[in-house]
Amino acid sequence: RPGRITMKPTIEQNALVKACQVGTVLLLEDGIMEVKVTEKLSDTELKVQVIRGGKLKARKGVNVPDVEIDCAALTEKDIEDAEYLLSLDPPCEYICVSFAQKAQDLQELIDIM
């Protein structure tokens, strides 16, 4: 059954869609579902073919393993969360960066620490 997936137009989501090309594979909900871009309608809209489907719930992640997204790895919320965790006594021992693509992505967190 055809459907439409809409995402909140954040800087990160816009960068993700803009970076996709025909043939790009997107993994939804931790890779449970998989779609492939069949047409890029604009920098904000893609037409995809469902490769491995399922019931997509709200607020689930989108991962594009073969595409480098042109935006910072850490969102403003990530930075706020890291600063809070580091202010605890004792401070948090581990903080991870999801979907780091390059060394600079980790360096952003190291600079906060």
Side-chain angles (χ1 to χ4, degrees):
R1 180 173 87 175
R4 183 178 209 88
I5 299 172
T6 56
M7 298 185 290
K8 183 179 176 183
T10 63
I11 293 169
E12 296 82 11
Q13 298 296 2
N14 288 339
L16 183 150
V17 173
K18 186 174 183 177
C20 288
Q21 301 297 326
V22 171
T24 298
V25 172
L26 292 89
L27 303 175
L28 310 173
E29 196 171 339
D30 295 325
I32 293 172
M33 290 164 268
E34 179 180 341
V35 298
K36 185 194 281 187
V37 177
T38 58
E39 187 178 350
K40 186 167 183 173
L41 303 173
S42 70
D43 280 347
T44 60
E45 191 171 5
L46 305 170
K47 185 174 183 179
V48 300
Q49 173 188 10
V50 175
I51 306 299
R52 186 174 53 250
K55 184 175 181 180
L56 184 60
K57 302 170 197 145
R59 302 187 56 81
K60 296 300 175 182
V62 178
N63 187 352
V64 190
D66 298 325
V67 174
E68 188 172 315
I69 309 302
D70 185 25
C71 68
L74 299 179
T75 65
E76 288 182 32
K77 172 95 167 69
D78 293 332
I79 293 168
E80 289 172 11
D81 290 347
E83 288 171 344
Y84 169 75
L85 292 170
L86 292 167
S87 73
L88 297 175
D89 188 23
C92 181
E93 292 185 26
Y94 297 96
I95 301 175
C96 299
V97 177
S98 297
F99 309 112
Q101 299 181 82
K102 52 193 177 297
Q104 180 58 36
D105 295 342
L106 299 177
Q107 189 62 50
E108 291 177 38
L109 180 58
I110 292 167
D111 291 345
I112 294 169
M113 298 170 85

